[in-house]
């Protein structure tokens, strides 16, 4: 990633702050705009110049709409940028994060931004997150990279701790985006493991990586089966953040398929185009650990990433093959493209043995969830309604779209197999539910578990809100908020 801007609190007031642009807010009101109170004070210092300019430019203050005008007598900033925040009644932290994400893209030619936006109810942190996330660009392979020039976000009237947390969370999200955007031939399972290890060294969590031999010794038949068609060996990445004495413990599991060709049940060219993204769950989990290591909540957090390619070849698993998972359950593989659940099965069974209070897995698991919820939201499945409610609550405060889906038992029979304990696919209908029902079988008895299907939300088809086209780093913010809540 290119350098991300740093948020800092400044002691100057908005009018005396020297910066390339001063960012102010306005609400949509009766077909026109109404300046936010802090913007109105700057407007007064400029003798009404802002309001006159906005009126003449037809500004309606729609969410993320931006107008820039030159500075003038009365303020020290070189320019003033007004961002639309939409309806005042609906302008919460989430709206603000989304609006300034778009503004960050519009203002990417400036180095320093003075920020003077609404501050109530945690809005400052959301604004800092939105500005950092909106500045993200994946430039690694551009010979003429055009990174955002935003370097300094000067927050008027903010406190350092909320800015510190926001930059940790936003940087972790951008780390997940980087992992997701990296091509599959460079981000292989061993490279993913090294990136996790590197993050652990910096943020302060332990990493243990199992190679093929250890996977064989421990009976990870699902992961080994999926990797059988690939020239590149699989990895099982284990991470652990442990504060000195905490009685609480949760586990995360992330799907780390670095490329999903479908295997012998080969995808067509169009459906394969974006399949480097199939480790988006792993990216979210590793990045969450990097944020957790820096935020130091009072709770032990374990994380597990089974990682492999899914490739067709003479050594690949074949439809009809049977795999034996960690823990002993067997799966009949009828479609090799339903590979995510096969590797998650091993990891969920393993995670269950570590005695966590709860397990949350994150996976780009099914095309079906995109049919149900579209490409910008996450489906949540859980064997425990209280855990589901916690996660939906965390997603709301983090500003991510997560919807609680049903785990209807009546569909379970679709997974019955003639030859093994289960088959890995049912019918097409309700495919995301059936996939979740399959996963549930591998979770230890009485362990609250939730599954986030991020197949749609892990990738943005174009810039929207705080997301840039490509990997979104979705679920990092929800997981971090949830872990913080659990630590309280
Ligand atoms: N990685 C895909 C799911 C996916 C699809 C993620 C589109 C992101 C975008 C997964 O491994 C897969 O191929 N699932 C199949 C399952 C089916 C064969 C039961 C699917 O959803 O079509
Ligand atoms: Zn697949
Ligand atoms: Zn997949």
């Amino acid at each position: 990633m290119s350098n991300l801007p740093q948020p800092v609190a400044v002691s100057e007031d908005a009018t005396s702050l020297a910066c390339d642009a001063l960012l102010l807010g306005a609400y949509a009101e009766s077909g026109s705009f109404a300046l936010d109170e802090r913007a109105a004070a700057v407007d007064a210092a400029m003798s009404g110049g802002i309001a006159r300019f906005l009126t003449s430019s037809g500004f309606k203050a729609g969410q993320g709409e931006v107008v820039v005008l030159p500075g003038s007598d009365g303020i020290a900033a070189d320019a003033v940028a007004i961002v639309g925040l939409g309806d005042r009644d609906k302008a919460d932290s989430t709206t603000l994060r989304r609006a300034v994400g778009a503004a960050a893209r519009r203002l990417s030619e400036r180095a320093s931004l003075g920020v003077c936006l609404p501050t109530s109810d945690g809005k400052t942190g959301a604004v800092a997150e939105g500005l950092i996330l909106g500045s993200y660009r994946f430039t690694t392979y551009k010979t003429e990279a055009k990174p955002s020039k935003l370097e300094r976000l000067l927050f008027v009237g903010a406190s350092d701790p909320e800015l510190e947390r926001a930059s940790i969370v936003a940087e972790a999200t951008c780390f997940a985006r980087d992992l997701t955007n990296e091509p599959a031939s460079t981000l292989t399972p061993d490279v993913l493991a090294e990136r996790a290890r590197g993050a652990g060294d910096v943020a302060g969590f332990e990493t243990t990586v199992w190679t093929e031999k250890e996977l064989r010794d421990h009976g990870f038949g699902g992961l080994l089966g999926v990797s059988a068609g690939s020239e590149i060996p699989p990895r099982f990445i284990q991470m652990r953040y442990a504060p000195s004495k905490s009685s609480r413990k949760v586990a995360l599991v992330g799907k780390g398929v670095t490329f999903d060709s479908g295997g012998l049940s080969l995808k067509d060219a169009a459906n394969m185009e974006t399949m480097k993204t199939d480790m988006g769950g792993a990216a979210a989990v590793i990045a969450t650990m990097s944020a957790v290591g820096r935020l130091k909540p009072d709770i032990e957090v374990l994380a597990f990433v089974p990682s492999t390619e899914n490739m067709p070849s003479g050594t690949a698993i074949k439809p009809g093959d049977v795999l034996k998972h960690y823990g002993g359950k067997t799966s009949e593989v009828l479609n090799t493209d339903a590979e995510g659940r096969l590797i998650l099965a091993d990891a969920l069974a393993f995670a269950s043995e570590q005695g966590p209070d709860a397990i949350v897995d994150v996976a780009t698991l099914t095309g079906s969830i995109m049919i149900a919820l579209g490409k910008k939201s996450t489906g949540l499945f859980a064997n425990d309604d209280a855990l589901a409610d916690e996660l939906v609550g965390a997603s709301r405060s983090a500003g991510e779209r997560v919807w609680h889906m049903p785990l209807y038992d009546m569909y379970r029979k679709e997974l019955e197999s003639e030859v093994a304990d289960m088959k890995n696919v049912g019918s097409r209908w309700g495919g995301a539910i059936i996939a979740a029902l399959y996963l549930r079988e591998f979770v230890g008895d009485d362990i609250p578990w939730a599954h986030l299907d991020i197949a749609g939300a892990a990738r943005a088809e174009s810039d929207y809100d705080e997301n840039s086209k490509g990997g979104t780093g979705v679920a990092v913010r929800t997981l971090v908020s949830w872990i913080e809540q659990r630590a309280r």
Side-chain angles (χ1 to χ4, degrees), residues 255 257 259-262 265 267 271 274-275 277-279 310 334-341 363-370 375 424-428 431-432 434-435 453-459:
K255 171 179 173 183
V257 173
F259 188 73
D260 183 11
S261 72
S265 311
K267 289 182 186 291
N271 280 310
T274 56
M275 282 302 133
T277 312
D278 213 20
M279 34 58 68
N310 184 25
L334 290 180
N335 190 320
T336 63
D337 197 12
E339 84 298 340
R341 61 196 76 179
T364 48
L365 203 66
T366 66
S368 169
I369 199 68
M370 297 158 75
K375 292 190 175 179
N424 76 330
V425 286
S427 82
R428 218 161 87 72
I434 292 169
D453 193 338
I454 58 165
R459 205 187 104 82

Side-chain angles (χ1 to χ4, degrees), residues 197-272:
R197 205 191 288 282
D201 291 345
V202 174
F205 61 85
E206 301 159 26
T207 324
T208 306
V209 179
W210 282 359
T211 59
E212 236 171 330
K213 177 174 180 328
E214 286 130 322
L215 292 174
R216 241 180 284 117
D217 292 346
H218 290 88
F220 274 51
L223 182 52
L224 288 168
V226 173
S227 86
S230 174
E231 297 277 331
I232 296 170
R235 292 288 184 267
F236 183 56
I237 310 167
Q238 305 173 48
M239 291 156 277
R240 176 168 179 262
Y241 160 79
S244 49
K245 47 174 190 302
S246 178
S247 51
R248 297 174 273 228
K249 174 155 71 174
V250 293
L252 309 176
V253 174
K255 171 179 173 183
V257 173
T258 57
F259 188 73
D260 183 11
S261 72
L264 287 178
S265 311
L266 197 64
K267 289 182 186 291
D268 62 28
N271 280 310
M272 218 187 282

Side-chain angles (χ1 to χ4, degrees), residues 13-283:
D13 62 25
T15 51
S16 61
L17 180 66
C19 55
D20 295 335
L22 184 63
L23 182 62
L24 305 172
Y27 300 104
E29 201 173 271
S30 9
S32 180
F33 67 88
L35 290 175
D36 153 66
E37 290 69 32
R38 304 184 82 193
V42 177
D43 186 45
M46 290 171 70
S47 319
I50 297 178
R52 278 195 302 282
F53 191 93
L54 292 179
T55 304
S56 71
S57 57
F59 182 68
K60 299 267 190 295
Q63 183 186 311
E65 192 182 344
V66 178
V67 166
V68 183
L69 59 142
S72 73
D73 289 352
I75 65 164
D78 289 345
V80 175
I82 315 292
V83 57
L85 304 176
D87 289 344
R88 192 190 294 264
D89 330 333
K90 296 188 196 132
D92 56 8
S93 297
T94 297
T95 343
L96 244 84
R97 191 188 287 97
R98 291 177 186 158
V100 303
R105 282 190 289 275
R106 269 290 309 279
L107 300 168
S108 63
E109 289 301 309
R110 293 158 213 267
S112 63
L113 205 58
V115 185
C116 189
L117 286 166
T119 54
S120 58
D121 314 323
K123 290 197 176 77
T124 301
V127 166
E129 285 175 19
L131 289 170
I132 298 169
L133 293 170
S135 302
Y136 172 86
R137 286 177 201 178
F138 183 67
T139 54
T140 311
Y141 299 100
K142 291 279 194 191
T143 48
E144 283 175 48
K146 294 191 199 69
S148 171
K149 296 193 179 117
L150 270 181
E151 264 177 27
R152 287 180 309 282
L153 306 171
L154 311 168
F155 278 78
V156 179
S159 77
D160 288 324
E162 56 186 333
L163 295 177
E164 169 76 6
R165 180 192 180 277
S167 70
I168 289 173
V169 171
E171 282 169 17
T173 305
C174 293
F175 174 40
R177 291 177 179 180
D178 267 354
L179 293 173
T180 309
N181 288 330
E182 188 66 34
S185 292
T186 43
L187 193 99
T188 51
D190 56 318
V191 171
L192 184 63
E194 283 317 307
R195 298 291 297 266
R197 205 191 288 282
D201 291 345
V202 174
F205 61 85
E206 301 159 26
T207 324
T208 306
V209 179
W210 282 359
T211 59
E212 236 171 330
K213 177 174 180 328
E214 286 130 322
L215 292 174
R216 241 180 284 117
D217 292 346
H218 290 88
F220 274 51
L223 182 52
L224 288 168
V226 173
S227 86
S230 174
E231 297 277 331
I232 296 170
R235 292 288 184 267
F236 183 56
I237 310 167
Q238 305 173 48
M239 291 156 277
R240 176 168 179 262
Y241 160 79
S244 49
K245 47 174 190 302
S246 178
S247 51
R248 297 174 273 228
K249 174 155 71 174
V250 293
L252 309 176
V253 174
K255 171 179 173 183
V257 173
T258 57
F259 188 73
D260 183 11
S261 72
L264 287 178
S265 311
L266 197 64
K267 289 182 186 291
D268 62 28
N271 280 310
M272 218 187 282
E273 266 180 29
T274 56
M275 282 302 133
K276 67 173 184 181
T277 312
D278 213 20
M279 34 58 68

